[in-house]
Amino acid sequence: MTTADITSKITPEGSASGSSFYAAMRILPREQREAMFQIYSFCRQVDDIADSDGPRPERLKALDQWRHDIDALYAGNPPPHLRDYVSSVKQFGLRREDFIAIIDGMEMDVPADIRAPDARTLDLYCDRVASAVGRLSVRVFGLGEDDGILLAHHLGRALQLTNILRDIDEDAGLGRLYLPREDLNAAGIMSNDPLVVASDPRLPRVCEGILKQARDHFAKSNDIMARNSRRVVRAPKIMSEYYHAILEKLVERGFALPRKPVKLSKAAKIFILIRYAFI
């Protein structure tokens, strides 16, 4: 499972490496950068719990412990591993409900693997594992309340839907299928077996609907960023450009078998970084 690039590797020092996230966040001033690495370290840790191969009851218990830890942080008694978060929470007004929403999103994969959720459930999943991360992030970036919430909504969904299209085969190997049931059924695919769906020749028809949604969310997020200071939105803009480029490479490759993995070249990433980082 990926949540707007939280599959970045987080080091014990709290920094991410080898990822588009790391490149985008390095350009931020120190206090913003530290807050963002805290947010994504949190995401990485709860994501690791959800994606582990441990017994499901143990994973549910571990996620519930994180809820208690977040409650303790906001009650003024943070556990040792969250003490560094206190200043970021106060300085940037990070909201408890967004941290809890991320945990709730991770938990959606734990009682049973997600397989062909209905469209409403998929949108809730995207909101929790991607847009909730965005709602925390835009506060750190310094966007105004209204545009910040809108950007988190649209860009979070754009990134997560791109992840879903990119990771169809990887997710199927894990027993997961995030494509919506309504789109599968409309294409004549009644199975919710991830491996069966991944090999179905009608799959490209299903992907077209998700592709259209992702492009629409990218367009709306671009409109929001265009009316805000470039300096304030440069980090989310870099993330958006990375993922939009991946989406278009997926379109160029196509969704029929055989599907080769898609990623951006180092040169492409550097070009995007240079274009938007130095303002």
Side-chain angles (χ1 to χ4, degrees):
M1 172 173 53
T2 54
T3 65
D5 209 31
I6 65 169
T7 50
S8 310
K9 298 300 182 184
I10 305 294
T11 71
E13 292 74 26
S15 63
S17 62
S19 68
S20 54
F21 164 76
Y22 183 56
M25 297 311 131
R26 283 187 66 183
I27 67 172
L28 295 172
R30 181 180 60 82
E31 291 181 341
Q32 289 179 306
R33 185 171 65 248
E34 289 178 355
M36 286 304 303
F37 282 128
Q38 289 167 0
I39 291 168
Y40 278 77
S41 177
F42 161 78
C43 291
R44 175 71 268 173
Q45 291 179 75
V46 294
D47 182 52
D48 282 346
I49 293 170
D51 278 355
S52 77
D53 56 3
R56 294 181 189 272
E58 291 185 9
R59 285 185 273 163
L60 290 171
K61 183 178 179 180
L63 289 173
D64 198 46
Q65 181 59 54
W66 267 101
R67 290 191 183 89
H68 291 302
D69 291 345
I70 293 297
D71 285 343
L73 169 65
Y74 280 84
N77 187 31
H81 62 101
L82 291 181
R83 284 176 185 162
D84 290 343
Y85 287 56
V86 173
S87 60
S88 295
V89 167
K90 291 180 178 179
Q91 180 176 357
F92 299 109
L94 305 182
R95 293 184 174 178
R96 170 192 169 275
E97 54 263 37
D98 292 323
F99 283 108
I100 297 298
I102 294 166
I103 298 171
D104 291 343
M106 301 300 177
E107 192 177 74
M108 291 175 72
D109 270 315
V110 177
D113 292 323
I114 290 182
R115 293 191 174 191
D118 59 59
R120 184 175 180 179
T121 301
L122 176 62
D123 189 65
L124 176 62
Y125 177 79
C126 290
D127 184 79
R128 287 174 169 176
V129 303
S131 292
V133 182
R135 289 191 291 273
L136 291 170
S137 302
V138 293
R139 291 179 174 276
V140 176
F141 299 148
L143 269 78
E145 181 75 10
D146 291 343
D147 271 359
I149 295 299
L150 278 176
L151 181 60
H153 175 92
H154 290 296
L155 186 55
R157 283 161 170 80
L159 302 185
Q160 193 64 26
L161 292 174
T162 300
N163 283 336
I164 288 170
L165 290 174
R166 182 192 63 191
D167 297 338
I168 289 172
D169 297 302
E170 180 181 342
D171 289 335
L174 297 172
R176 295 172 180 174
L177 173 63
Y178 294 96
L179 298 173
R181 181 187 315 152
E182 295 91 338
D183 290 15
L184 291 167
N185 293 349
I189 303 175
M190 301 303 167
S191 175
N192 70 347
D193 183 306
L195 293 175
V196 170
V197 172
S199 62
D200 195 296
R202 295 166 290 188
L203 181 65
R205 290 173 53 191
V206 180
C207 295
E208 285 299 320
I210 303 300
L211 172 63
K212 183 177 184 300
Q213 290 181 50
R215 281 175 164 166
D216 183 57
H217 285 301
F218 273 121
K220 289 177 178 176
S221 64
N222 281 337
D223 288 343
I224 297 164
M225 288 188 282
R227 62 178 180 250
N228 283 275
S229 164
R230 287 188 67 188
R231 183 167 292 276
V232 171
V233 300
R234 57 182 178 168
K237 184 64 174 177
I238 290 168
M239 294 291 294
S240 175
E241 292 296 320
Y242 280 168
Y243 270 78
H244 201 177
I246 289 172
L247 187 68
E248 296 309 321
K249 286 179 73 70
L250 288 169
V251 173
E252 181 181 348
R253 180 206 64 184
F255 295 98
L257 289 173
R259 290 182 291 268
K260 293 183 179 180
V262 165
K263 61 181 181 179
L264 290 188
S265 67
K266 185 175 181 179
K269 290 182 178 181
I270 291 173
F271 175 79
I272 292 170
L273 185 63
I274 291 174
R275 183 177 181 186
Y276 294 102
F278 304 105
I279 298 173

